[in-house]
């Protein structure tokens, strides 16, 4: 068994910056209201027609691949995490493979929303550890803006999310106590409907009884209806309070699990990089774990919640800022829709 290490990191965010004040042109909100609840000051939105989840991922991947000292032709496998794919199917992995002129390698798409990147990292880690692959590209990319409703009725969701992409390249290392020490993945679907996008989907209202009906016909007609679009039923739904309550329990729990698995404690963490869901959640977890400001990296203030992209974007920014150095202990953690949550402990 080998150890896998992050050999290269990269990220990309669109140039279009929207401050909280900018959003007041579209909905009844305010900078104070948004910052008080989320800590967000601004976010980036992709070009409506020129950028996609895949194109942003490509830009992040180019940087990560170059920093890893390899080429696109050397990549053995792709693990692509996103909830906002270019197409309903196929996934973004094959589009990235095509556009980067890679060999006919495998491409796996991960749909674990906010915890998607850590899930993807864990999958890639296993491939490298077993010796199956030597250069695995792991990507988290999101274009939330294409589906968000910029009206007052949806402000509790649309003010939170932003667009962007992050990527890493995993390679094997023979150095002991280096690289990814462990990953920890969990789920609990009991409250899955508290954070979800129900349509389009194949459930035909099996799990959600109070939604608009589908047409009475023998076959078909269950994908997406005009009534669902017009009523707003096809928009994302989130019970923010329910998500917050669960997150502040599972976030610290999965971090402590990772530390315990490696006989370490909170004081050993050099840098915690939480999924950028809500600054208030990160601050609560930081206080609960007894970490000081230098031990936690947050950038939600600038980018909002970029879901699967948030952890790799923050990881890359922290590394570029010199906050991650050789030998540092870095902990990644995420919680989101599903509910799913995950952590990874890395010796840089």
């Amino acid at each position: 068994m080998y150890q896998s290490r992050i050999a290269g990191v990269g990220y990309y965010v669109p140039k279009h910056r929207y401050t909280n004040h900018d959003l007041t042109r579209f909905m009844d909100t305010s900078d104070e209201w948004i910052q008080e609840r989320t800590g967000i000051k601004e976010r980036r939105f992709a070009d409506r027609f020129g950028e996609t989840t895949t194109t942003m991922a490509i830009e992040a991947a180019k940087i990560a691949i170059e920093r890893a000292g390899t080429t696109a032709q050397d990549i053995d496998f792709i693990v692509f995490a996103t909830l906002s794919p270019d197409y309903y199917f196929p996934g973004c992995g094959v589009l990235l493979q095509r556009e980067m002129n890679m060999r006919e390698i495998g491409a796996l798409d991960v749909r674990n929303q906010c915890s998607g990147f850590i899930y993807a990292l864990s999958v890639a880690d296993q491939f490298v550890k077993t010796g199956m692959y030597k250069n695995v590209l792991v990507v988290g990319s999101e274009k939330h803006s294409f589906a968000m409703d910029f009206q007052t009725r949806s402000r509790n969701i649309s003010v939170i999310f932003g667009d962007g992409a992050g990527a890493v390249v995993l390679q094997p290392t023979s150095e002991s106590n280096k690289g990814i020490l462990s990953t920890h993945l969990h789920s609990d679907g009991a409250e899955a409907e508290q954070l979800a996008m129900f349509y389009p989907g194949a459930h035909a209202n099996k799990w959600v009884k109070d939604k608009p009906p589908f047409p009475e016909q023998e076959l078909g007609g269950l994908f997406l209806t005009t009534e669902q679009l017009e009523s707003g039923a096809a928009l994302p739904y989130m019970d923010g309070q329910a998500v917050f309550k669960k997150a502040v329990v599972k976030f610290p729990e999965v971090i402590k699990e990772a530390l315990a698995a490696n006989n370490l404690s909170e004081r050993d963490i050099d840098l915690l990089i939480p999924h950028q869901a809500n600054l208030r959640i990160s601050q609560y977890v930081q206080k609960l774990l007894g970490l000081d400001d230098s031990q936690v990296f947050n950038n939600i203030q600038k980018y909002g919640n970029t879901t699967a992209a948030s952890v790799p974007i923050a990881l890359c920014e922290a590394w570029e800022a010199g906050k991650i150095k050789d030998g540092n202990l870095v902990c990644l953690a995420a919680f989101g829709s599903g509910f799913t949550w995950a952590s990874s402990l890395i010796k840089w």
Side-chain angles (χ1 to χ4, degrees):
M1 296 286 286
Y2 299 89
Q3 283 288 107
S4 61
R5 70 182 184 97
I6 295 177
V9 295
Y11 82 100
Y12 172 84
V13 291
K15 65 180 181 181
H16 300 303
R17 180 185 285 106
Y18 280 79
T19 66
N20 294 340
H21 180 70
D22 289 329
L23 295 186
T24 64
R25 295 190 286 118
F26 307 95
M27 65 189 77
D28 180 14
T29 189
S30 69
D31 177 66
E32 181 182 18
W33 189 87
I34 297 170
Q35 285 206 53
E36 180 183 343
R37 287 160 177 77
T38 68
I40 299 168
K41 297 180 181 180
E42 60 185 48
R43 71 286 294 144
R44 304 292 181 93
F45 290 147
D47 182 82
R48 285 172 61 82
F49 304 108
E51 292 181 309
T52 75
T53 295
T54 300
T55 67
M56 291 188 290
I58 289 168
E59 296 306 312
K62 287 177 181 176
I63 298 169
I65 290 170
E66 181 180 359
R67 287 174 172 169
T70 188
T71 69
Q73 283 295 309
D74 295 320
I75 297 297
D76 302 310
F77 196 76
I78 301 163
V79 190
F80 198 124
T82 187
L83 65 73
S84 53
D86 290 22
Y87 303 139
Y88 193 77
F89 68 85
C92 290
V94 296
L95 302 180
L96 182 146
Q97 178 271 339
R98 177 185 72 188
E99 296 304 307
M100 295 192 73
N101 297 311
M102 293 177 172
R103 294 174 292 114
E104 294 179 343
I105 58 174
L108 173 67
D109 288 73
V110 173
R111 294 290 300 275
N112 279 76
Q113 296 67 250
C114 297
S115 60
F117 178 79
I118 301 180
Y119 266 73
L121 191 71
S122 181
V123 170
D125 181 39
Q126 313 314 313
F127 279 127
V128 174
K129 281 182 174 177
T130 59
M132 187 168 183
Y133 298 124
K134 293 183 178 179
N135 290 288
V136 181
L137 177 65
V138 186
V139 178
S141 184
E142 304 288 5
K143 184 179 178 179
H144 290 119
S145 59
F146 87 101
M148 290 193 297
D149 177 42
F150 292 97
Q151 298 183 56
T152 300
R153 65 179 180 178
S154 300
R155 65 181 177 181
N156 67 318
I157 291 179
S158 54
V159 303
I160 295 174
F161 295 93
D163 302 339
V168 304
V169 174
L170 287 195
Q171 294 178 345
T173 178
S174 57
E175 292 185 73
S176 59
N177 197 36
K178 276 278 191 177
I180 297 176
L181 304 182
S182 62
T183 57
H184 307 269
L185 314 178
H186 296 279
S187 72
D188 179 3
E191 298 175 275
E193 287 74 26
Q194 299 304 318
L195 177 51
M197 188 168 179
F198 303 111
Y199 309 104
H203 58 91
N205 290 346
K206 167 70 174 179
W207 313 116
V208 282
K209 305 298 185 184
D210 60 341
K211 298 299 179 183
F214 289 97
E216 292 293 335
Q217 59 191 62
E218 184 174 356
L219 295 173
L222 296 176
F223 187 70
L224 192 61
T225 67
T226 300
E227 184 177 355
Q228 289 161 1
L229 290 170
E230 292 177 347
S231 68
L235 297 170
Y237 170 79
M238 178 175 67
D239 182 334
Q241 189 174 21
V243 175
F244 187 95
K245 286 181 178 179
K246 191 84 169 182
V248 295
V249 172
K250 296 305 179 182
F251 246 122
E253 188 178 280
V254 78
I255 293 168
K256 290 180 179 180
E257 178 185 3
L259 292 168
N262 294 279
N263 297 313
L264 297 166
S265 68
E266 290 88 334
R267 63 178 177 271
D268 295 309
I269 295 176
D270 290 299
L271 194 66
L272 168 65
I273 300 178
H275 157 57
Q276 306 296 299
N278 185 309
L279 186 60
R280 307 307 165 216
I281 293 175
S282 296
Q283 291 170 334
Y284 182 92
V285 172
Q286 175 181 338
K287 183 178 180 181
L288 198 65
L289 296 177
L291 303 176
D292 60 44
D293 290 345
S294 68
Q295 291 175 283
V296 183
F297 187 82
N298 290 299
N299 63 3
I300 190 173
Q301 302 93 322
K302 297 189 296 181
Y303 304 129
N305 181 350
T306 54
T307 309
S310 79
V311 169
I313 289 174
L315 177 65
C316 186
E317 272 208 333
W319 179 81
E320 289 181 352
K323 295 182 180 296
I324 300 176
K325 299 179 176 63
D326 191 54
N328 280 175
L329 185 69
V330 179
C331 183
L332 311 179
F335 174 89
S337 174
F339 291 125
T340 64
W341 58 99
S343 66
S344 177
L345 209 56
I346 303 167
K347 194 64 177 258
W348 207 260

